[in-house]
Amino acid sequence: MKEIDFKKICDNLIDAIYVTDAEGNTIYVNDAYLKLGNLRREELMGMNVFNPDQTKQVYTGGVLPDVLKSGRRCEKVGTLKRTNTKVHITGIPIFDENGEIQYAVATEKDVARLEELKDHLAELRKENTQGAAELAYLRDRQIYDIDVVMESACMQEAFAVARSVAKTDVTVLITGESGTGKEIIADAIYMASERNGKPFIKLNCSAIPANLLESELFGYEEGSFTGARKGGKAGLFEIASGGVVLLDEVGDMPMDLQVKLLRVLQSREVTRVGGKDPIPLDIRLIASTNKNLKVGIERGTFREDLYYRLNVVPIDLKPLKERQADIEPLVETFLKKYNTRYNKNLIMTRLAMAMMMEYSWPGNIRELKNVIERMVVINFTGVIDGDVVARVLGLPAAKVQSTNSRHGTLKAATESLERQMIESALERCGSKRKAAKALGVDHSTLVKKCQRLGI
């Protein structure tokens, strides 16, 4: 085995190294030590660390005398006199096979360099925390790229307002029932803003327990409460710095937290839980809620001053039942989407569409989207007709007939009658061959009609 040249290795290390024998006589210093102290090797060789008259010209705060006396590791902060360089010194003993001290070794690090590394590490941790938290939120809240449907006048007006304020940093309050598309408006504002590409953090104020909401928003310092993460944690306002924060369901925010949110909006700075130093913020705030905040003010559940701070530009989204012009294009959009996703090619009859148009949609767009997906998944006939819609929406059979009589064509009425007669014959006769004979048609004709009608 080739002999290892430890002297060569030590001379190429970044840290300074100083070695003495058991009596404290200097027997080795590496090149980093000489460079750090602007020294020459011959000045140090043979110098005894127990002799203050010799060492005081070179350094202060030496640890090797203590190491040699105690036989234990020691740490101090000292100074290399010639360059006035403050160093962090760690000294260790090295023992022979009999347990006697053979060498004492000190490693020294430039304190100024350590501070630079500490600051750099803090920046890296901050960037890592911000990136990891943003990625987690984006993964939790995936946004599907679909064309926004806005045939109705009220939706066109809402998007016109959103576009007009997108380039500014004005605070926007989006109101409307659950499922009306508040998040889509917020997405549109973000995508058209100068902050596009910066963090976009979304927080549902009703989904996080009240006792955790404050630490999620503002962050916390280490030891501020039981279970606090070592090193503390950045809050969402810090993470989103330079970008946009969406406070969804802000009407559910506890009153005590509303006070702190108001303070953040006024001062544009945040203080972590358990912290003392305010952190400046550069964020744009968008808020949304399905609650009537004016009623909340009257009941004492929402602060009036916070309401006016949030309600700089209001955008109110109407429920789907008041946006008749949007229903059919939404149905077509979602049908196309789920046909592609589930590799199907379903079509919807005019009767089925008429029933979709007449339904009140209490769950708004979210309900309509889920209904379309359900009808696509459970359908293997290739057609979504009135019976399918009635079954999925839980409507009585009379509703199908009522809608059919008002909206159906002669062709649809004929198909409905054929369906009823065929289904009745099949139930009565037990087979398609016998049913065809009872209906007075060829077996092949009945088979084709069953395929066309999805029976």
Side-chain angles (χ1 to χ4, degrees):
M1 182 178 177
K2 187 177 180 180
E3 186 176 347
I4 299 175
D5 188 348
F6 287 105
K7 181 179 180 300
K8 185 175 182 180
I9 293 173
C10 291
D11 278 337
N12 283 277
L13 294 177
I14 296 174
D15 292 343
I17 298 176
Y18 193 114
V19 184
T20 72
D21 61 18
E23 284 71 44
N25 298 310
T26 304
I27 58 175
Y28 172 76
V29 290
N30 72 345
D31 290 349
Y33 188 90
L34 299 174
K35 183 177 180 180
L36 199 61
N38 192 22
L39 297 161
R40 291 177 289 110
R41 188 169 272 108
E42 53 268 27
E43 292 181 81
L44 303 176
M45 291 302 99
M47 187 178 74
N48 192 284
V49 296
F50 288 106
N51 187 338
D53 290 336
Q54 294 179 328
T55 61
K56 69 181 180 180
Q57 304 299 323
V58 180
Y59 59 76
T60 62
V63 298
L64 294 185
D66 293 336
V67 171
L68 291 167
K69 288 177 184 177
S70 66
R72 293 194 297 270
R73 169 177 169 162
C74 295
E75 291 189 57
K76 284 184 181 179
V77 173
T79 304
L80 292 173
K81 298 293 290 293
R82 194 167 294 175
T83 57
N84 197 31
T85 302
K86 187 178 289 187
V87 289
H88 178 267
I89 314 167
T90 302
I92 59 170
I94 296 178
F95 301 93
D96 62 18
E97 61 274 8
N98 298 316
E100 300 292 330
I101 293 179
Q102 187 174 9
Y103 304 111
V105 180
T107 59
E108 305 185 10
K109 300 178 187 292
D110 185 347
V111 171
R113 175 61 178 158
L114 288 176
E115 290 296 330
E116 289 178 9
L117 291 173
K118 181 180 177 182
D119 291 342
H120 183 58
L121 181 59
E123 285 297 320
L124 289 176
R125 282 175 174 167
K126 180 179 178 182
E127 290 175 9
N128 183 60
T129 300
Q130 181 171 332
E134 183 186 350
L135 181 59
Y137 266 80
L138 290 175
R139 283 175 174 169
D140 287 342
R141 305 293 302 277
Q142 292 180 9
I143 301 171
Y144 294 106
D145 277 332
I146 61 171
D147 292 332
V148 177
V149 174
M150 46 178 177
E151 296 293 328
S152 61
C154 58
M155 280 300 287
Q156 290 180 10
E157 181 182 350
F159 270 87
V161 174
R163 282 193 295 268
S164 69
V165 300
K167 298 296 183 183
T168 72
D169 273 347
V170 66
T171 302
V172 178
L173 177 62
I174 309 169
T175 57
E177 293 180 5
S178 180
T180 50
K182 297 188 292 295
E183 188 173 339
I184 292 176
I185 292 286
D187 292 340
I189 292 173
Y190 169 74
M191 294 298 290
S193 74
E194 300 294 338
R195 295 175 183 263
N196 187 359
K198 302 293 179 63
F200 186 18
I201 303 300
K202 302 177 182 181
L203 178 70
N204 189 324
C205 298
S206 65
I208 299 177
N211 60 326
L212 298 179
L213 192 55
E214 181 177 5
S215 59
E216 284 294 313
L217 276 175
F218 306 126
Y220 57 81
E221 296 292 353
E222 179 178 345
S224 55
F225 55 85
T226 304
R229 181 189 299 175
K230 186 176 181 181
K233 179 184 176 183
L236 296 183
F237 284 134
E238 282 185 71
I239 293 169
S241 188
V244 179
V245 173
L246 170 62
L247 292 181
D248 192 18
E249 305 306 349
V250 71
D252 294 313
M253 182 176 284
M255 286 291 283
D256 59 334
L257 207 55
Q258 292 179 31
V259 178
K260 296 179 180 179
L261 175 60
L262 181 64
R263 192 175 303 128
V264 168
L265 295 177
Q266 290 172 335
S267 64
R268 291 291 164 175
E269 59 184 24
V270 66
T271 303
R272 291 185 179 183
V273 176
K276 296 180 180 178
D277 299 325
I279 301 167
L281 295 177
D282 173 25
I283 59 168
R284 180 185 190 164
L285 186 70
I286 302 174
S288 65
T289 181
N290 62 5
K291 287 183 165 54
N292 188 325
L293 296 186
K294 289 186 177 179
V295 173
I297 293 170
E298 293 173 1
R299 294 176 178 174
T301 60
F302 202 83
R303 291 182 62 94
E304 186 174 14
D305 47 4
L306 177 58
Y307 170 75
Y308 288 115
R309 177 66 68 168
L310 295 175
N311 196 43
V312 180
V313 175
I315 299 178
D316 183 49
L317 300 184
K318 301 300 180 185
L320 191 55
K321 64 185 177 183
E322 297 180 24
R323 293 156 47 187
Q324 280 282 313
D326 290 334
I327 295 177
E328 184 167 349
L330 279 169
V331 170
E332 292 172 349
T333 297
F334 291 133
L335 185 58
K336 180 180 178 182
K337 173 181 177 178
Y338 291 120
N339 267 334
T340 302
R341 176 175 293 185
Y342 297 110
N343 195 27
K344 293 192 176 184
N345 190 30
L346 274 68
I347 62 171
M348 181 173 286
T349 67
R350 294 309 304 170
L351 172 61
M353 182 64 78
M355 294 174 67
M356 300 286 282
M357 296 285 289
E358 286 191 1
Y359 186 63
S360 61
W361 299 110
N364 294 296
I365 299 173
R366 188 177 293 121
E367 182 186 9
L368 185 147
K369 180 180 176 182
N370 292 341
V371 163
I372 296 294
E373 183 173 16
R374 192 182 320 149
M375 290 193 295
V376 170
V377 169
I378 66 174
N379 193 298
F380 297 98
T381 67
V383 177
I384 299 174
D385 58 16
D387 291 334
V388 173
V389 174
R391 187 165 63 252
V392 171
L393 295 180
L395 302 176
K399 182 68 176 176
V400 182
Q401 299 300 325
S402 173
T403 306
N404 190 22
S405 65
R406 292 195 306 275
H407 299 277
T409 62
L410 180 60
K411 181 180 178 183
T414 303
E415 287 182 353
S416 179
L417 180 59
E418 279 187 333
R419 175 187 293 278
Q420 292 177 35
M421 292 182 67
I422 292 172
E423 288 177 343
S424 177
L426 287 171
E427 185 178 354
R428 187 172 64 253
C429 300
S431 73
K432 287 182 180 177
R433 192 170 297 280
K434 292 179 180 179
K437 186 176 181 181
L439 292 169
V441 296
D442 292 336
H443 175 253
S444 60
T445 300
L446 181 61
V447 170
K448 290 178 181 178
K449 284 184 177 291
C450 286
Q451 290 174 344
R452 179 170 57 81
L453 296 171
I455 298 175

